[in-house]
Amino acid sequence: MYGNLLVSHKVCLISIKPEFGEVKKTLIKETIEKKLTVQQLKERKKELVPKNIWTAGLLSIVEDPKQLIQEDNEKILSLPFLKNVPIGNLEKVKKKSANTSKKLKEAINQFTNDIKLYEQYIENYQKLIEDLETAIKENTSGDKVKKTKKGKK
């Protein structure tokens, strides 16, 4: 397929590093099938091949769950992109991902315990409120109304 490209398209693709081979194949295929112009190919290349995966902040993305779910980071975290990352770097990202996942699970467990405790508080307050309402009704029923005594001298 590469041989079917115009020289200007080939020049655009020549700067793609060998570790991004899968991305390069995808771009070649898209260029031929969609008849992309050189400008369109450059735009697609920018989307799929960052200048440096580490400047894109892969490690910082996996450490921050908010970043992990952002659409902007979807391409960097995609399998085709990750296939082009050196194994050592993938291992670092995997370790950081596992640590962050573990911390999130621990936080969920703590929140679950806190929720149970707060539910107990609510139950106790509701029981107290019911008892207070009963006491108020009993103390104000009929002719006998109990009044609180204010400080006597």
Side-chain angles (χ1 to χ4, degrees):
M1 291 181 105
Y2 185 76
N4 295 334
L5 293 176
L6 298 173
V7 173
S8 53
H9 289 94
K10 290 178 183 178
V11 168
C12 180
L13 295 171
I14 202 160
S15 63
I16 298 176
K17 295 179 181 177
E19 59 263 23
F20 292 98
E22 289 299 315
V23 174
K24 191 172 189 176
K25 288 177 188 176
T26 300
L27 289 170
I28 292 167
K29 186 177 177 183
E30 282 184 23
T31 301
I32 292 171
E33 289 176 357
K34 296 178 181 178
K35 298 181 180 170
L36 299 178
T37 65
V38 174
Q39 188 59 40
Q40 291 170 324
L41 176 58
K42 284 180 182 178
E43 291 302 314
R44 265 314 265 153
K45 180 179 160 186
K46 281 183 192 176
E47 290 174 12
L48 297 178
V49 184
K51 291 178 184 174
N52 182 330
I53 191 167
W54 299 107
T55 59
L58 185 56
L59 283 173
S60 64
I61 290 170
V62 298
E63 288 178 326
D64 181 2
K66 292 175 189 167
Q67 293 256 346
L68 190 66
I69 61 172
Q70 286 185 355
E71 284 185 35
D72 301 8
N73 297 323
E74 202 172 279
K75 290 176 182 119
I76 293 172
L77 301 169
S78 69
L79 185 58
F81 188 83
L82 293 172
K83 284 181 180 179
N84 294 301
V85 177
I87 298 288
N89 295 346
L90 289 174
E91 290 295 333
K92 287 179 190 175
V93 173
K94 180 182 172 188
K95 185 177 179 180
K96 291 251 185 206
S97 296
N99 287 338
T100 304
S101 178
K102 181 181 175 186
K103 287 178 187 175
L104 290 171
K105 287 176 186 176
E106 290 169 357
I108 287 171
N109 288 335
Q110 183 61 50
F111 290 141
T112 301
N113 292 335
D114 289 348
I115 288 169
K116 288 176 185 175
L117 181 62
Y118 279 82
E119 286 173 341
Q120 176 104 33
Y121 292 159
I122 291 168
E123 283 179 35
N124 290 343
Y125 275 109
Q126 287 174 338
K127 184 180 180 316
L128 176 61
I129 291 167
E130 288 172 12
D131 290 347
L132 289 167
E133 287 174 348
T134 302
I136 291 168
K137 284 180 187 175
E138 288 179 9
N139 287 338
T140 58
S141 65
D143 293 349
K144 125 181 158 175
V145 175
K146 293 184 181 178
K147 296 182 181 178
T148 59
K149 294 181 183 176
K150 295 195 178 179
K152 292 183 180 177
K153 290 188 177 180

